[in-house]
Amino acid sequence: MIEVKGLTKRYGDRLAVDHLSFTAKPGEVLGLLGPNGAGKTTTMRMLTGYLPPTEGSASIAGYDILEDSMEARRRVGYLPERVPLYPDMTVRGYVTFWARLRGIRSPRKHVNAALERVHLMDRQNQLVRNLSKGLRQRLGLAQALVHNPAVIILDEPTIGIDPQQVIEVRESVRALGKEHTVLFSTHILSEAEHVCDRVLIINKGRVIAQGKPADLRRQMEPKTQLYVVVGGASGKAARQLLSAIPGVLAVERDGDGYSLTVEGDRDLRGEVSSHVMQAGYTLLEIRQATTSLEDIFLEIVGKSR
Amino acid sequence: MNTLTIFRREVEQYFTTPFAWLIAAAVLLLTGLLFNQNLSQAARGATIVDPAFIPSVFSFALVFFAPLLTMRLLAEERREGTMELLLTSPVDEGSIVLGKFLGAWFYFTLLLALTLVYQIILLSISQPDIGHSLCAYIGIWLYGGATLAVGTLFSALTENQIVSAFLSMIALMLLWLGDSVGQVIANLEVARFVRTLTLQGHYSTSFAAGLFRGEDVAFYAGIIVVLLFLTMRLVASNRWR
């Protein structure tokens, strides 16, 4: 498991990670979601022992990353954003090398298991340089899990590979989450939603929202918006009419028409049109504006700026 | 254990690329030509065959050769991003540097061993001074280790292999030329001091002359230890960038 308390990284005047605290339990996939430059990679680098934190502490499977660095590192599998490769090694040689470095004396079984897991067994004797990008990503994953670590840290593992492979990698991550603690970063909201049990949204090094993806979605889901253009009514009359409709929370002037904020996820199109007709006006336009998850995410991130 | 793992990968890397084989072939070709010339001169009675001839060829060649062998060592790890993974593995920086350096030294040792074929040829046609040759070989082996340590240090300084090779060539050239400077300085004390700081100064007048002195061994060993320690600090400093 991962425990992070007040973790901070300062580069000169710039705070890359600002007193970050969270925990990830065994058997959990925790997502770090945030735009580029939010501090995801820096956080991961501190947890893996690559960068020393400026302040705060963290532990991996109970071992402090500074006090017991070697023990902590032994229990981490890490896949950096750019998959680190030795192009002149074979697939098997590469995974064996990392298994040995992580202290596995006779790595044969471990290597077989890792290669099976990422479906690279049939390419074990190929040179790494000849692998396609998606296969390299899988090889990177094999390297991260070969020593069967308690914690697996994956930095944007789905970047730059084709959609089919993205799905495969996501499935692998989900499967890993059953036995390991997985910390997974992404800047794609829907991906975090599919893969993670819990999501931390971070921006400028700080957590700005967290929870289960479904809860977050509910929190973030704005009330439905309706756009209505009414013909034959003065501005005041139209506004009065529209605000009087049950379920309408707010009415705002928007171009030629009005933007209505509607309670919950009710569909008020029928009510709105009958009210307008009954009042003797004409309905020139009505449409439901749905906000995509991506927009909501951008909005939340934008607010924290 | 970790040192051994890194050493093994390094040696395998030399031999899975054509690079290592080409260099071995080129070294044999060059030393073979020079040996042949030396032998034919001796046959005409112009000179005698110098037992330290082949090792001494290396003393200058290493100025260019050592940087080529070592430029890759740490620069490539940084460029490919594997350094990040190495530094997050349960491995200390010392093992990384030592494993890599020993890999390069091992490859150099193999190359040097290939040239023993000339000693065998000499043995079959004359009675060379074996002790003298052996001494020169030990000397150039240590000398080679020191030049490879210089190359390893510069490989840790930059992630650009060409820059790394260039800088270590300059450094080695200075260490090599320092000897010539020492030879023309009029003040004997200063001259002696300058020569004790150069790579050549601990080889050309001792090992190459069949003289095995503790101070020369200590000089090369000292250079290797100090430079590898600096390299280790440089690798550790990757964490602070």
Side-chain angles (χ1 to χ4, degrees):
Chain A
M1 66 188 274
I2 311 172
E3 268 187 290
V4 177
K5 281 193 205 110
L7 202 64
T8 302
K9 182 74 192 179
R10 202 187 294 274
Y11 292 110
D13 290 344
R14 203 173 67 83
L15 260 177
V17 175
D18 187 2
H19 296 90
L20 203 62
S21 298
F22 62 86
T23 53
K25 291 185 281 290
E28 181 177 51
V29 181
L30 178 65
L32 282 186
L33 176 67
N36 293 327
K40 303 186 296 280
T41 299
T42 307
T43 303
M44 292 183 152
R45 284 182 161 173
M46 285 192 281
L47 289 178
T48 52
Y50 182 60
L51 289 177
T54 316
E55 255 177 71
S57 65
S59 68
I60 301 278
Y63 293 94
D64 190 276
I65 55 163
L66 288 176
E67 308 285 318
D68 286 311
S69 176
M70 287 296 172
E71 288 303 316
R73 286 192 230 165
R74 211 158 282 168
R75 286 162 179 80
V76 176
Y78 176 38
L79 177 58
E81 186 177 339
R82 193 164 64 97
V83 185
L85 296 172
Y86 293 118
D88 293 320
M89 287 182 109
T90 62
V91 166
R92 171 170 282 275
Y94 175 84
V95 180
T96 307
F97 173 71
W98 291 110
R100 283 222 176 87
L101 272 195
R102 270 87 172 247
I104 295 170
R105 298 276 157 136
S106 40
R108 209 184 153 70
K109 267 191 190 156
H110 282 83
V111 172
N112 283 343
L115 288 178
E116 289 284 359
R117 184 135 211 190
V118 299
H119 311 294
L120 279 177
M121 207 53 174
D122 50 336
R123 300 191 187 249
Q124 53 171 311
N125 294 319
Q126 255 181 23
L127 283 186
V128 171
R129 66 162 73 250
N130 297 331
L131 295 182
S132 69
K133 191 142 196 219
L135 294 181
R136 288 174 182 205
Q137 202 77 34
R138 268 151 55 179
L139 182 62
L141 213 53
Q143 158 280 124
L145 56 85
V146 67
H147 52 307
N148 205 13
V151 170
I152 296 179
I153 295 182
L154 307 169
D155 196 357
E156 308 218 8
T158 55
I159 271 192
I161 53 179
D162 72 45
Q164 179 59 38
Q165 292 167 332
V166 167
I167 292 170
E168 284 171 21
V169 169
R170 284 178 187 169
E171 274 166 9
S172 308
V173 174
R174 276 232 64 90
L176 283 176
K178 292 192 180 109
E179 295 153 40
H180 309 261
T181 307
V182 179
L183 186 63
F184 169 92
S185 79
T186 175
H187 63 262
I188 305 162
L189 183 69
S190 61
E191 177 163 289
E193 198 177 15
H194 283 127
V195 174
C196 305
D197 299 313
R198 211 150 54 80
V199 178
L200 297 180
I201 299 181
I202 64 174
N203 190 37
K204 303 213 150 187
R206 255 176 295 186
V207 176
I208 51 177
Q210 60 174 307
K212 291 197 173 103
D215 293 345
L216 270 183
R217 195 191 174 115
R218 218 168 297 131
Q219 268 175 39
M220 286 157 60
E221 198 110 61
K223 284 133 191 147
T224 319
Q225 300 268 322
L226 264 187
Y227 182 72
V228 182
V229 181
V230 180
S234 71
K236 205 177 162 195
R239 186 183 280 271
Q240 250 172 11
L241 167 72
L242 292 170
S243 347
I245 301 171
V248 172
L249 295 178
V251 178
E252 243 174 274
R253 183 95 210 176
D254 181 0
D256 294 338
Y258 297 88
S259 219
L260 314 187
T261 306
V262 176
E263 198 181 79
D265 46 5
R266 287 171 62 185
D267 185 355
L268 282 188
R269 280 176 299 186
E271 272 101 324
V272 171
S273 73
S274 60
H275 273 84
V276 171
M277 303 294 197
Q278 273 165 26
Y281 304 126
T282 51
L283 191 60
L284 298 178
E285 187 180 342
I286 184 163
R287 69 183 142 87
Q288 204 151 17
T290 48
T291 327
S292 74
L293 280 175
E294 231 52 62
D295 294 336
I296 305 161
F297 169 51
L298 287 176
E299 194 187 305
I300 288 199
V301 168
K303 270 184 200 155
S304 75
R305 283 236 159 102
Chain B
M1 177 67 194
N2 289 327
T3 309
L4 186 73
T5 307
I6 292 184
F7 168 80
R8 267 179 61 175
R9 199 196 76 77
E10 215 48 57
V11 173
E12 276 166 23
Q13 170 116 26
Y14 277 118
F15 288 102
T16 48
T17 53
F19 179 74
W21 301 98
L22 283 175
I23 285 186
V27 164
L28 273 184
L29 184 69
L30 278 172
T31 50
L33 284 172
L34 291 168
F35 176 72
N36 191 52
Q37 193 186 9
N38 189 253
L39 206 59
S40 63
Q41 275 173 359
R44 276 188 271 116
T47 54
I48 56 154
V49 174
D50 178 3
F53 179 69
I54 294 295
S56 300
V57 168
F58 275 97
S59 79
F60 180 64
L62 275 168
V63 170
F64 300 97
F65 184 55
L68 291 179
L69 279 189
T70 52
M71 63 182 189
R72 222 197 63 243
L73 288 184
L74 295 152
E76 192 179 44
E77 300 274 354
R78 265 172 69 187
R79 172 154 286 186
E80 296 289 326
T82 41
M83 187 58 94
E84 183 172 349
L85 216 47
L86 281 178
L87 290 176
T88 58
S89 298
V91 180
D92 56 277
E93 294 88 5
S95 305
I96 300 175
V97 171
L98 192 63
K100 289 189 158 281
F101 166 75
L102 289 179
W105 204 5
F106 178 76
Y107 176 68
F108 170 69
T109 309
L110 288 183
L111 282 186
L112 203 58
L114 284 178
T115 66
L116 286 175
V117 67
Y118 306 123
Q119 302 305 318
I120 295 169
I121 293 173
L122 271 184
L123 264 176
S124 68
I125 56 173
S126 64
Q127 282 103 35
D129 182 346
I130 296 178
H132 188 164
S133 286
L134 188 67
C135 189
Y137 265 92
I138 293 174
I140 207 66
W141 181 69
L142 289 168
Y143 181 116
T147 57
L148 291 171
V150 172
T152 309
L153 175 73
F154 283 103
S155 177
L157 263 182
T158 162
E159 57 181 74
N160 186 325
Q161 295 189 32
I162 306 292
V163 172
S164 148
F166 185 69
L167 290 178
S168 39
M169 272 181 205
I170 290 175
L172 287 173
M173 201 63 172
L174 289 175
L175 280 172
W176 197 80
L177 287 174
D179 187 57
S180 320
V181 173
Q183 284 180 6
V184 297
I185 289 178
N187 185 326
L188 203 61
E189 286 304 305
V190 176
R192 214 170 262 156
F193 178 70
V194 169
R195 292 203 70 211
T196 56
L197 291 181
T198 66
L199 288 167
Q200 247 324 62
H202 289 270
Y203 171 78
S204 61
T205 52
S206 54
F207 286 115
L211 206 61
F212 189 90
R213 294 188 307 187
E215 56 180 277
D216 299 322
V217 176
F219 173 77
Y220 292 126
I223 283 206
I224 293 173
V225 169
V226 169
L227 292 186
L228 289 190
F229 179 76
L230 286 177
T231 310
M232 202 186 90
R233 302 308 306 160
L234 270 178
V235 168
S237 78
N238 274 309
R239 298 180 189 279
W240 305 94
R241 279 173 213 160

